[in-house]
Amino acid sequence: MFTRSELEIKTTLELHDLCHRYGIKPTGNPGYKTSFIVSLAFPQLALQQMRQGRGLKTPDFNTIQIISTAIDEMGSPTDEQSALIKITLEGRRMNYPDRYDQEKLLGRVIN
């Protein structure tokens, strides 16, 4: 969290870099320091949004049970499947027709 005085002594470039670091956009004209300073008050805004029920929410118990069931059905990869996924992510491909199943296995992880 930043105090207003901490932000006011920074240059426009430094403020720009801070906004970029935290993934927020300046409010208004990016040529003015105040546009960045207003945006860098995001911690309070984020908490206010949470209190209003906006953004991230805690799922209810039924949703958690459904997600748990889906995860159980998905299973976890064996050591050999994990190794194949890793080598696939490194760009190595098997010969056809095994390549189809290699891509299918990778699709189960990524999707």
Side-chain angles (χ1 to χ4, degrees):
M1 291 10 94
F2 307 100
T3 64
R4 178 107 185 165
S5 56
E6 282 179 302
L7 296 173
E8 286 175 348
I9 61 173
K10 294 192 178 296
T11 66
T12 305
L13 181 58
E14 290 171 322
L15 293 169
H16 173 272
D17 290 345
L18 278 174
C19 282
H20 182 72
R21 177 179 180 177
Y22 296 110
I24 55 176
K25 297 178 180 129
T27 305
N29 185 337
Y32 297 108
K33 286 174 63 168
T34 54
S35 298
F36 293 102
I37 292 171
V38 168
S39 294
L40 288 165
F42 66 86
Q44 288 300 318
L45 181 58
L47 294 180
Q48 180 183 1
Q49 291 166 342
M50 181 191 70
R51 292 179 191 120
Q52 293 171 346
R54 295 172 48 206
L56 288 177
K57 299 175 185 130
T58 304
D60 63 24
F61 183 71
N62 290 334
T63 304
I64 292 172
Q65 284 184 314
I66 292 167
I67 292 170
S68 176
T69 301
I71 289 171
D72 288 344
E73 286 182 17
M74 287 170 41
S76 24
T78 64
D79 291 343
E80 294 78 12
Q81 289 172 336
S82 292
L84 179 56
I85 290 165
K86 287 177 187 175
I87 201 166
T88 303
L89 291 173
E90 291 173 359
R92 305 278 311 265
R93 299 290 183 260
M94 298 177 76
N95 292 326
Y96 292 106
D98 291 330
R99 184 180 294 185
Y100 295 116
D101 287 333
Q102 180 186 17
E103 295 295 328
K104 186 176 178 180
L105 177 64
L106 183 64
R108 291 180 180 176
V109 174
I110 294 176
N111 294 329

